[in-house]
Amino acid sequence: MTATVVTGMGVVAPTGLGAQRHWERTVRGESAIGRITAFDARPYSGKLAGEVTGFEPSAHLPARLLPQTDHMTRLALAAAAWAIEDASLIPAELPEFGMGVVTASSAGGFEFGHRELDKLWRLGPEHVSAYQSFAWFYAVNSGQISIRHGLRGPSGVLVTEQAGGLDAVAQARRRVRDGTAAMVCGSVDGSPCPWGWVAQLAGGRISTADDPARAYLPFDVDAAGHVPGDGGALFVLEDEEGARERGVTSWHGEIAGYAATFDPPPGSARPSSLSRAMELALSEAGTEPSAIDVVFADGAGVAELDRVEAQALRTVFGPYGVPVTVPKTMTGRLSAGGAALDLATALLALRHGEIPPTVNVSRPVPEYELDLVTQPRRGPLSAVLVVARGHGGFNAAMVVTRRRGTDRTE
């Protein structure tokens, strides 16, 4: 079985539009977390978020799509177009069913739904957009991307919260292994509206701090919740042989291993299966723990959850056994888009040979025994483990590696 490689990547993040801009800010440790601007957050206990800024939908999308999409879907359409362009792919030149799309979502088009329900309440049903029938749906990004680019191959959506960004890529890899020429995959997510915000606050894991530098502190003694955000990343996956046949000589990296597990219910007294997900991903990749150069951790920012992840990392790698970083401290947790953005950042770290930092964490919990990267750290990187956990017990782990002689150097 030949390798499944990432030939295209599109990033829309609070840290920047496009992979290069995102990387430049991330590796410098520039946080994009601040006061919410998408709506008036003064009545709510949480007032901070990582927001995508500077995105003008009309500059990236045809006018006909604007009335039927919300902020999240517009970002996803832009990221998908960038990923396809980055892969130098022309979907129309592939077999009719040769390219599909799999995305992940946590809430669907919440912003669109909030707007139309407000119209229903204030003005009556005749004022509700007909596009509400699908614009709110979890699969809306997959559907809109497939329609815009004529992708008639296997398509779908996964709903596993933060873990979804990795699960969607793994599902796409499975389709490529089954013979599909190319797949668009990953996640762009977020619900920057009062309805979505209240739903997130109800989970009890949102930081209520007012200072952006003290709001999201994974593995820190002062950890007290996370900051949400919007954005993510989409990718193009192809079989290595197929990519070579169409003239591709460089790519971002290889999806070398993946695994997913599900935690037992709270109160069962059974341990988390997060370490098992890591071990299975390493095993599929044929990689020993000692060969992993850095772990992009989930970094929940909640003491109980951080403790579980730290224990899993010690189980697999030993105390201080591997550098650990949480660059999402600069963007917030982007729901399903968070792990996809971590994967993009991991691929960029492999390319540039530099580990981006975990910002703002000044007092790591000593008992966790983690080699937490709080300043950029340079050095050759060849294999990275990305870890993600979704609310409700979802765990995912993915190993990405460089391919010698075929790495992008730009």
Side-chain angles (χ1 to χ4, degrees):
M1 183 181 296
T2 61
T4 303
V5 294
V6 180
T7 56
M9 178 164 60
V11 172
V12 285
T15 37
L17 300 175
Q20 186 60 32
R21 177 59 177 157
H22 162 67
W23 174 253
E24 289 170 354
R25 290 193 64 183
T26 300
V27 79
R28 290 197 298 261
E30 295 181 12
S31 177
I33 291 173
R35 304 285 288 188
I36 294 172
T37 63
F39 58 92
D40 183 4
R42 287 178 296 178
Y44 306 103
S45 57
K47 299 175 175 62
L48 302 177
E51 295 177 303
V52 174
T53 59
F55 180 79
E56 178 50 57
S58 61
H60 302 280
L61 303 173
R64 63 178 177 79
L65 283 176
L66 300 184
Q68 56 184 281
T69 53
D70 79 345
H71 173 70
M72 180 263 307
T73 299
R74 293 167 182 171
L75 293 176
L77 284 165
W82 295 341
I84 292 170
E85 179 183 16
D86 184 44
S88 299
L89 255 178
I90 301 176
E93 295 181 352
L94 296 175
E96 183 178 4
F97 302 102
M99 191 171 181
V101 53
V102 178
T103 65
S105 176
S106 68
F110 247 48
E111 183 204 21
F112 197 103
H114 176 268
R115 184 170 66 242
E116 298 309 314
L117 287 175
D118 179 64
K119 291 179 184 177
L120 176 65
W121 177 261
R122 291 187 301 104
L123 304 173
E126 65 273 15
H127 294 276
V128 176
S129 169
Y131 296 124
Q132 168 69 358
S133 61
F134 63 79
W136 69 272
F137 191 46
Y138 295 98
V140 63
N141 288 355
S142 290
Q144 290 284 16
I145 291 167
S146 65
I147 291 169
R148 188 181 189 200
H149 297 282
L151 311 183
R152 302 187 64 189
S155 296
V157 63
L158 291 109
V159 185
T160 54
E161 211 256 335
Q162 183 86 12
L166 297 186
D167 294 337
V169 174
Q171 177 69 13
R173 184 181 65 151
R174 188 175 297 118
R175 295 299 188 182
V176 169
R177 286 178 165 180
D178 288 342
T180 303
M183 292 289 296
V184 174
C185 58
S187 177
V188 173
D189 205 3
S191 49
C193 65
W195 190 24
W197 195 246
V198 169
Q200 295 203 57
L201 289 173
R205 296 180 180 179
I206 305 301
S207 171
T208 58
D210 289 324
D211 181 1
R214 303 304 300 163
Y216 179 26
L217 305 170
F219 304 117
D220 192 281
V221 296
D222 294 325
H226 70 266
V227 174
D230 59 279
L234 292 174
F235 309 92
V236 172
L237 299 192
E238 297 182 67
D239 174 81
E240 180 182 346
E241 286 187 2
R244 288 187 183 279
E245 286 175 1
R246 70 178 187 88
V248 177
T249 59
S250 67
W251 38 75
H252 297 285
E254 175 190 347
I255 307 300
Y258 160 82
T261 60
F262 194 76
D263 280 346
S268 66
R270 291 155 54 198
S272 168
S273 61
L274 180 60
S275 62
R276 182 62 174 157
M278 298 182 197
E279 291 166 347
L280 290 171
L282 291 168
S283 176
E284 193 203 4
T287 301
E288 294 295 325
S290 59
I292 296 296
D293 298 304
V294 60
V295 174
F296 281 64
D298 178 72
V302 176
E304 178 184 355
L305 298 174
D306 287 349
R307 189 178 304 113
V308 169
E309 184 170 18
Q311 175 61 57
L313 290 167
R314 289 198 305 274
T315 298
V316 176
F317 296 97
Y320 305 103
V322 65
V324 175
T325 189
V326 191
K328 62 172 71 72
T329 48
M330 291 171 257
T331 64
R333 293 173 67 84
L334 314 182
S335 299
L341 184 61
D342 272 349
L343 179 59
T345 310
L347 291 167
L348 291 164
L350 285 169
R351 180 198 303 176
H352 293 284
E354 190 162 5
I355 302 172
T358 304
V359 302
N360 299 327
V361 174
S362 57
R363 296 197 296 164
V365 177
E367 292 79 9
Y368 291 169
E369 299 180 301
L370 296 180
D371 176 14
L372 196 63
V373 179
T374 57
Q375 296 293 329
R377 190 180 298 183
R378 293 197 64 85
L381 304 176
S382 59
V384 175
L385 178 68
V386 182
V387 178
R389 292 180 292 171
H391 187 66
F394 300 100
N395 300 313
M398 182 168 284
V399 177
V400 290
T401 61
R402 299 175 63 188
R403 297 286 292 172
R404 286 177 296 180
T406 59
D407 303 303
R408 297 196 178 195
T409 57
E410 70 270 16

